[in-house]
Amino acid sequence: MNPLLMTVLLVVALTIFTRTMIGKIKLLAALEPARRLDHLKERVMSMLVIAVGQKRLIGRAKERSSGIMHALIFWGFCVLLIRSITLYGEGFHQGFQLPFFGEEHLTGYLYLFLKDIMEGIVLLMVVWAIFRRAVIRPKRMHNSFEAYLVLVMIAVLMISDLTYDGIRYNLIYLHGQTDIHFFNNPAYGSEFLWTPVTLVAAFLVSGIGPEVSAVIMVLMFWVHICTQLIFLNVLPTGKHFHVITALPNVFLKSLGYPHEKTKLLDLEDESAWENESLGINHIHQLNWKQGLDLYTCTECGRCKEVCPTYLTEKPLNLFDFNDALKHELYANASKVIKRADLVSRLAKKTPDQVEDIEFLKGEIPMLNSPNQLVGDVIAEDTLWACTTCRACEAVCPVTIEHVPRIIAMRQGQTLMAETYPKELNVALKGLERNGNPWGIGYDKRADWAEGLNIPTLAEKPDAEYLLWVGCAGSFDDRTKKVSVSLAKILQKAGVDFAILGVEEKCTGDFARKVGNEMLFQMMATENIETLNGYGVKKIIAACPHCLNTLKHDYPDLGGNYEVIHHSVFIKELVKAGKIKLDPSFSGALTYHDPCYLGRYNDVYHEPREILKSIAGDRYQELDRHGSESFCCGAGGGRMWMEENIGKRINQERAEQIVAKDVSHVAVACPFCLTMVEDGMKALEKEESVKTLDLAELVEQNMV
């Protein structure tokens, strides 16, 4: 076409793009380190399934149609990548083709067919996307000029390429021009036999004369090239940056645990206290993966659509949360980069360079953002509204990890600023003084077991299993009944188990989720010393929060145990024939998935198998169940905070349960038991819809 013009366009566009990307990468590199390059095979597989396969978009039944639309546009772009390279080559040499995609290869004709069909599909999907945004307007979506601009540019790319090929067809077959390159292999026929959508485009422009057609063909070629290069440089400037960052962000997602584990802070490091580096207090303290998360947010609104706090009119809107952090990061980009450079230079100084060292130490704090991260950027009510349920993370199509940032910011507030909600004081003092958030005397911890002949580890140190009762199971009158039921099940099955009794303390989960890392580590260390002292290997836990902490957090402090939830253990007992269940349960039964059992530990099937073996076809699923279960509202320390903004989360969940017209709802978490039962009381439905723990149902229906 025109090698000089093509060269100029490529040099200008790629120079601008490269400079933009270098700035973005330098900003990420200036943030805190993160380890995300292990288990490469698993990472590649997750990227292929989630990012390339668009699993989270297609997998959601509620919005499968829009997910398919997005997936087809994405796959279309992947297919058209070869076409784009071919067109750039065409700009330098007429008839350019990539190896194995020329007219002598069947692959070339097959690709022409696939490319042609995908261009037509992408164009239809773009029209649908514009219609959805302009007319249907789903509540979760954020309409913006950028969104429409990008959709229009995609449409221009499809139309210009189809028009280019359509006019080329007319010039060859209608106007007899022979100097235009096209595929024509006797074995496969003309290329246009493989391009039905192009033939439609050719028909639509067939009335144009040869001279004008030749001009339009050249014009469409350059419109396509220029639009593509403009599009490339628009991407890094807004939400469509995810087109570039989504694949690497999914590749770098957390493995083995659903999101980045809470960092084990070194509380003995005096410099950490001096530099306010415990938790996240300033924007530069994000790690580079958290920065990449902010780059990758698609602004699709799926997170807030499933967020229990947003849906009950709390101030937490994860789109706004991410957007505020991203703008703060961009606003302080130069400071963050310069700060990282000074820190690097300081690390390389030798002790004899005293003056330089003192100078650098004095300069570094000057590069902090002038904004308070919590207060100026993120409101306090917003930070503390989160229940850490992970509903947002489970539906995010690009695997953004919201909760770790929130917990780290709470650490900063609790440890450094000491501005956590004051209503937490009673529960935190209870942990400090008596090892439980209720503050009840630790000597009462085993009172629930009186008359059950349950040994303690002090009495039976060689017991195969430790039953971790938990604070609720030991002190809450309602949950004590669950502990009794579970103990009776284990005894009937002949399980060799014991409890810690007065030696058991809270796992510290609540303290960690509200940012009090000091108290968490104190509780965890004491428990680990006790457990390791007895040589404990296997633990049964009825509380998903205890399960999660013992299983995932304690190994960082030297506590390595095989931890199993009571629902999974009971299922194994049933399967082994050690207990038998009566399937004649009367009434309709449903199940509420606890967040820390399901989304954190992937336990979904075992509770349902048990309940179905009791209720059979009288078991019903809630509309929001499994990975999209609706939180009870107690996680993330919210059990111990007032819910005085908007509608109560547990009442919303209770209404969802009542709407299914069931007589019983099963839970598998003491927090859920309390919250769902309280929700039923608020609706005056506690008699018509009974709330029971799974262990209670099993104990009542054992043969």
Side-chain angles (χ1 to χ4, degrees), residues 612-637:
K612 287 177 182 178
S613 67
I614 293 173
D617 59 6
R618 294 177 301 283
Y619 174 80
Q620 300 179 31
E621 288 287 9
L622 295 170
D623 292 339
R624 287 198 55 173
H625 65 275
S627 63
E628 291 195 29
S629 177
F630 196 84
C631 178
C632 74

Side-chain angles (χ1 to χ4, degrees), residues 192-226:
F192 295 110
L193 294 176
W194 299 77
T195 56
V197 181
T198 292
L199 292 180
V200 173
F203 173 76
L204 293 175
V205 295
S206 58
I208 302 175
E211 295 81 6
V212 176
S213 291
V215 172
I216 292 176
M217 187 181 78
V218 174
L219 179 64
M220 288 298 100
F221 176 87
W222 291 112
V223 165
H224 187 89
I225 294 297
C226 290

Side-chain angles (χ1 to χ4, degrees), residues 527-536:
N527 281 325
I528 290 170
E529 287 177 358
T530 302
L531 294 172
N532 290 350
Y534 283 115
V536 170

Side-chain angles (χ1 to χ4, degrees), residues 14-30 233 236 241 244 295 330 333 337:
L14 293 179
T15 298
I16 296 172
F17 177 75
T18 301
R19 289 188 63 182
T20 303
M21 288 302 297
I22 288 174
K24 302 285 188 183
I25 293 169
K26 284 179 68 177
L27 180 54
L28 286 187
N233 282 284
F241 196 15
I244 297 171
Y295 283 2
Y330 286 162
I337 293 170

